[in-house]
Amino acid sequence: MANERARELRRTMSVPERKLWRALSNPKAGGMRFRRQHPMGHYIVDFICLERRLVVEVDGGQHGHDTQIAHDQRRSQWLNAEGYRVLRFWANEVMSNTEGVIAMIVNEALSVPTRDTPT
């Protein structure tokens, strides 16, 4: 079920997600391998680098509502407890400052050593 939903989300990515995916899949983005719309427990994360244990989320306007903020906090806490760091960017930031967003992602990813075996 989660894999089917992840496939659907890959087909229907938002414009900011597509833009970030193009940048993350470019070898110049620190040489890291990211996956998109990847199932993790009960969640599907926007982007993940398993080797660096880094999750990247692109948040649209709906993420500013109280119920969504609480959901995002629970999700980030669960991912942190699983050993992943979570970076969140607003969709408009991805659109207007893609290079800056990529630089922040690369800096965060390179700040810790790689994992031997991805999960």
Side-chain angles (χ1 to χ4, degrees), residues 7-25:
R7 275 188 218 105
E8 178 185 334
L9 289 171
R10 283 191 286 275
R11 284 192 304 271
T12 61
M13 287 172 51
S14 68
V15 172
E17 288 171 334
R18 286 181 199 278
K19 186 170 187 173
L20 187 56
W21 175 242
R22 280 193 299 274
L24 288 174
S25 59

Side-chain angles (χ1 to χ4, degrees), residues 55-85:
V55 170
V56 178
E57 292 289 320
V58 177
D59 294 341
Q62 74 277 14
H63 289 267
H65 300 297
D66 290 341
T67 55
Q68 189 63 45
I69 291 169
H71 173 76
D72 289 344
Q73 288 173 340
R74 286 190 305 276
R75 175 186 173 115
S76 290
Q77 288 171 349
W78 183 85
L79 289 163
N80 292 154
E82 293 294 311
Y84 288 86
R85 290 164 296 136

Side-chain angles (χ1 to χ4, degrees), residues 44 48 58 69 71 81 86 88 90 98-99:
I44 298 174
I48 187 168
V58 177
I69 291 169
H71 173 76
V86 179
R88 291 186 168 279
W90 289 106
T98 308
E99 287 183 23

